[in-house]
Amino acid sequence: MAGNSRRRGAVRKEGTKKGPTVGSGGQRRRGLEGRGATPPAHMRPNHPAAKRAAKPVRRPTKPTDETEMVLGRNPVVECLRADAPASALYIALGAEADERLTESVTLAADRGIPILEVPRHDLDRMSSNGLHQGIALQVPPYDYAHPDDLLASATSGGEPALLVALDNISDPRNLGAIIRSVAAFAGDGVLIPQRRSASVSAVAWRTSAGAAARVRVARATNLNRTLKEWGEAGLQVVGLDAEGDTTLDEFDASGPLVIVVGSEGKGLSRLVRQNCDAVVSIPMAGPTESLNASVAAGVVLAEVARQRRR
């Protein structure tokens, strides 16, 4: 036998005996212990899931009373083209894709805006009339400028200042259309009263077709006081009213201006009219007595731009 020490030449060396030896118990015991459960992928340092988890993720916020929803394919794509602030883009499941929807998704993805596919009835609940066309853009509350900052920005350039002030315009569609006209004719901004006036809501965003992201809108605590301060700063305060002192054809628009547009029904209020340096009317060629407030503002802005091009 190999273990028979009596056989000649059969010599066992020390430490070669099979089985446990002195001092080996701890090593064998540790080797038999399990290593525990495998950690999840996001907890492994070099795993792709851990790298993705380490990046900050912009999570969409739920619509609240403060957020606004821009509805419709044209308004949404125009807002995204204008880099309007947005917190989420909602797409209805099964919505038919076209160029506007595809471009909206691409622009939102490039800006890191979360894109959510939701059932169509969810979009129906987000909109009052259901005219969302399968897409909606969630925008945060509008960040209004201060009237002093708006004036400083308008007077800092080489061109004469061109501002528009609104006197109790209550329809947000008129506000959005006026903002769009100001952007189209190189105006510097819009001033609205803090009370008894339409605000830059989702309806105004929709009507402005994204122009609200390019044109600054300021809120005045007291419209009359702000107009006086702007007049003292060198701007000519010009009211727009059907019973004006002069017509638009006779008006010189070469200097710095602030055009004041009255409300849809009553026109300019008494105090605002008193603070105007001039009141201008639009000559009518047809039987129509007056124009919509936003249309009238667009006509005047177009004439101002024409005179300044000369």
Side-chain angles (χ1 to χ4, degrees):
M1 293 178 62
N4 189 356
S5 60
R6 295 179 180 181
R7 186 171 58 86
R8 186 177 179 179
V11 178
R12 182 183 296 280
K13 296 181 180 180
E14 294 293 334
T16 62
K17 185 180 179 181
K18 294 182 179 180
T21 58
V22 177
S24 66
Q27 297 177 3
R28 299 289 177 89
R29 188 167 55 250
R30 286 193 296 270
L32 293 175
E33 290 178 354
R35 297 184 179 181
T38 302
H42 68 274
M43 295 181 63
R44 304 178 203 172
N46 297 323
H47 197 281
K51 296 178 181 179
R52 290 194 298 267
K55 294 181 180 179
V57 179
R58 293 182 58 187
R59 299 187 181 278
T61 58
K62 294 182 179 180
T64 63
D65 294 338
E66 295 182 355
T67 58
E68 296 286 350
M69 301 298 294
V70 179
L71 307 173
R73 303 198 174 193
N74 279 334
V76 167
V77 73
E78 289 291 345
C79 287
L80 291 171
R81 286 173 183 171
D83 289 333
S87 51
L89 177 66
Y90 293 90
I91 306 294
L93 290 171
E96 182 179 355
D98 61 2
E99 295 181 357
R100 297 167 297 175
L101 189 144
T102 303
E103 183 179 358
S104 298
V105 172
T106 302
L107 292 173
D110 292 343
R111 291 178 51 188
I113 299 172
I115 303 172
L116 304 177
E117 283 191 299
V118 298
R120 181 171 290 272
H121 59 78
D122 285 354
L123 285 183
D124 293 338
R125 287 198 301 265
M126 295 178 189
S127 59
S128 58
N129 50 19
L131 300 178
H132 47 72
Q133 298 178 314
I135 188 170
L137 184 68
Q138 180 179 325
V139 296
Y142 188 82
D143 185 16
Y144 293 96
H146 192 277
D148 294 343
D149 297 334
L150 184 60
L151 176 63
S153 175
T155 56
S156 61
E159 297 294 329
L162 177 57
L163 295 166
V164 176
L166 307 183
D167 182 20
N168 295 332
I169 297 292
S170 58
D171 190 342
R173 291 170 296 184
N174 277 338
L175 172 60
I178 291 173
I179 292 174
R180 190 172 184 176
S181 296
V182 171
F185 297 110
D188 296 303
V190 177
L191 176 70
I192 63 175
Q194 190 168 359
R195 294 185 298 177
R196 295 189 299 275
S197 173
S199 59
V200 185
S201 61
V203 177
W205 271 108
R206 178 187 175 94
T207 312
S208 73
R214 301 188 299 270
V215 176
R216 300 183 70 185
V217 180
R219 259 181 171 175
T221 306
N222 189 307
L223 181 62
N224 290 298
R225 183 168 62 242
T226 302
L227 291 176
K228 286 182 180 179
E229 294 173 353
W230 285 7
E232 295 171 356
L235 272 67
Q236 185 181 9
V237 182
V238 180
L240 183 59
D241 195 279
E243 303 295 332
D245 304 328
T246 183
T247 63
L248 186 60
D249 296 339
E250 303 167 348
F251 177 66
D252 181 12
S254 58
L257 297 174
V258 51
I259 300 171
V260 186
V261 182
S263 64
E264 296 87 349
K266 300 180 180 179
L268 296 174
S269 61
R270 181 180 58 84
L271 291 177
V272 169
R273 189 183 182 101
Q274 291 177 358
N275 290 326
C276 291
D277 300 318
V279 179
V280 176
S281 63
I282 299 174
M284 311 298 290
T288 303
E289 297 180 358
S290 62
L291 297 173
N292 175 273
S294 60
V295 175
V299 171
V300 174
L301 288 168
E303 174 61 19
V304 172
R306 185 193 69 81
Q307 291 189 24
R308 292 186 175 184
R309 283 196 304 268
R310 292 188 307 177

